Structures are given as C-alpha cells and as structure tokens.
C-alpha cells in the first residue's frame, strides 16, 4: 500500500540520499501512471508535498509547495486534520486552483493524508466513468440521478446538461 510503504515514508521525511530519492520518485510516478492507464475510473493521481516532492502520475515536476497551498483551502484543511480518514469531495474550484495540477473532467476526489507526513494522496475519479454507471439507473421522466459528496454536499448529475447554482436534491425533504 502506498500509505504504509517504507520507501515513500523515507522519501517524504527527507531521509533518503539524492540517488534513492530519484529512484523512489520515478518508481512511484511509474506506478501511478500504470494505474491510471489500466483503470479508466482514475482521471488523475498524485501524492502532493512541498519541496518539489509531489509525485505526479503524469511525471510532471512541480516547482512550488503544492501541499502548503492545498491545506490552506477548506478541502485541504479537512484532509490535513486527520491522518486516519479517507475523504470524498466534489469538484472544488478553490482546491483545484491550489493544486494547479491540470485537473479536468473529474466528478469527485478521494483524498487521504499520508500518515503523519506532510503529504496527501489525491485520486480524481473520471466523470465519464461515473456518468456511464449512473445512466444505467433510470429515474423516469423528469427524474434525476445524482451523486452527492457528504463532505462538501456537492451534487454530480448523471446528465451532464443539468447545471444548478444551488442543491436540487441535498437537504430536500422527500
């Protein structure tokens, strides 16, 4: 598991020499890239950190402190406050801007702090995958199928044409 891997823990705690650090980064970029290639559900995958240590599934090197910027966002703050929980979020402009990771076409994000290290694993799930699954549920004429993320109460509809400024389903008494 990425979360308990000894090499990753050493990588994020700055206890590797330069050669080993480069090897670990390359190995995990390859693992994330392979996972993304084999699993159509995953739009993008990252382990974000500061000091140019972000591991990006597309192999991009990031020059800024992405972890510090992300935990300043409401979403990042929630994730950073718990090393034991997995969090599910909808699309979030503030967090996306902080991450600046060329993210598009995802419907929800899974995020988990890497134990007590200053690093967070982020997996963005493809909106095409979720919509294709949701479309198999037929609510009938005038009905909606929606995925609602509890952490931020965001709604994601099976019909890409449904655009709303406020919740249609969340918080509604039926």
């Amino acid at each position: 598991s990425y979360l308990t891997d000894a090499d990753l823990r050493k990588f994020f705690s700055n206890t590797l020499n330069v050669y080993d650090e480069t090897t670990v980064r390359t190995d995990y970029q390859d693992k994330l890239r392979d996972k993304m290639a084999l699993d159509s559900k995953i739009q993008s995958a990252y382990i974000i950190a500061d000091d140019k240590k972000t591991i990006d599934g597309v192999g991009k090197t990031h020059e800024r402190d992405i972890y510090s910027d992300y935990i300043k966002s409401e979403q990042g703050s929630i994730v950073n406050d718990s090393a034991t929980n997995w969090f599910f979020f909808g699309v979030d402009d503030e967090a996306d801007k902080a991450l600046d990771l060329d993210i598009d076409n995802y419907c929800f994000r899974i995020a988990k702090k890497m134990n007590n290290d200053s690093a967070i694993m982020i997996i963005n799930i493809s909106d095409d995958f979720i919509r294709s699954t949701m479309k198999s549920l037929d609510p009938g004429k005038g009905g909606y199928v929606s995925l609602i993320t509890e952490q931020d109460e965001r709604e994601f509809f099976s019909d890409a044409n449904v655009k709303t400024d406020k919740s249609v389903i969340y918080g509604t008494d039926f």
Side-chain angles (χ1 to χ4, degrees):
S1 166
Y2 295 106
L3 299 174
T4 58
D5 183 85
D7 288 337
L8 273 181
R9 296 193 72 159
K10 291 176 188 173
F11 178 80
F12 290 117
S13 64
N14 297 314
T15 58
L16 296 175
N17 64 41
V18 174
Y19 174 79
D20 289 340
E21 190 172 288
T22 301
T23 301
V24 168
R25 175 191 298 280
T26 302
D27 287 350
Y28 278 90
Q29 282 176 334
D30 291 345
K31 287 178 183 184
L32 290 176
R33 185 178 15 256
D34 290 348
K35 185 68 175 163
M36 288 167 43
L38 294 172
D39 192 338
S40 64
K41 295 180 283 297
I42 299 175
Q43 173 68 24
S44 52
Y46 311 92
I47 303 173
I48 63 167
D50 288 344
D51 300 323
K52 300 180 185 177
K53 288 191 175 284
T54 292
I55 297 175
D56 184 327
V58 295
K60 184 177 175 182
T61 301
H62 301 275
E63 298 295 322
R64 62 184 188 80
D65 291 339
I66 295 174
Y67 174 84
S68 291
D69 290 345
Y70 179 63
I71 64 172
K72 290 175 189 171
S73 72
E74 182 178 350
Q75 185 182 105
S77 175
I78 291 169
V79 177
N80 194 55
D81 286 345
S82 174
T84 58
N85 294 326
W86 288 88
F87 295 94
F88 296 85
F89 299 99
V91 174
D92 183 305
D93 291 336
E94 177 192 21
D96 291 350
K97 184 178 177 185
L99 290 167
D100 189 28
L101 296 172
D102 301 325
I103 297 167
D104 59 354
N105 300 324
Y106 77 97
C107 77
F108 72 91
R109 170 174 294 140
I110 302 169
K112 168 83 170 79
K113 184 171 172 88
M114 300 283 292
N115 300 313
N116 291 317
D117 296 319
S118 294
I120 295 173
M121 174 176 271
I122 294 177
I123 302 167
N124 292 317
I125 305 299
S126 165
D127 62 351
D128 288 338
F129 170 77
I130 297 297
R131 279 204 171 97
S132 68
T133 302
M134 292 169 68
K135 285 182 180 181
S136 68
L137 305 170
D138 183 5
K141 185 174 174 108
Y144 293 102
V145 176
S146 178
L147 172 76
I148 302 169
T149 51
E150 182 179 13
Q151 289 296 322
D152 55 8
E153 303 170 3
R154 302 221 186 233
E155 297 177 343
F156 179 82
F157 293 92
S158 60
D159 182 347
N161 295 320
V162 175
K163 305 282 188 223
T164 64
D165 291 332
K166 60 182 181 177
S167 293
V168 172
I169 298 171
Y170 188 83
T172 303
D173 293 329
F174 291 97

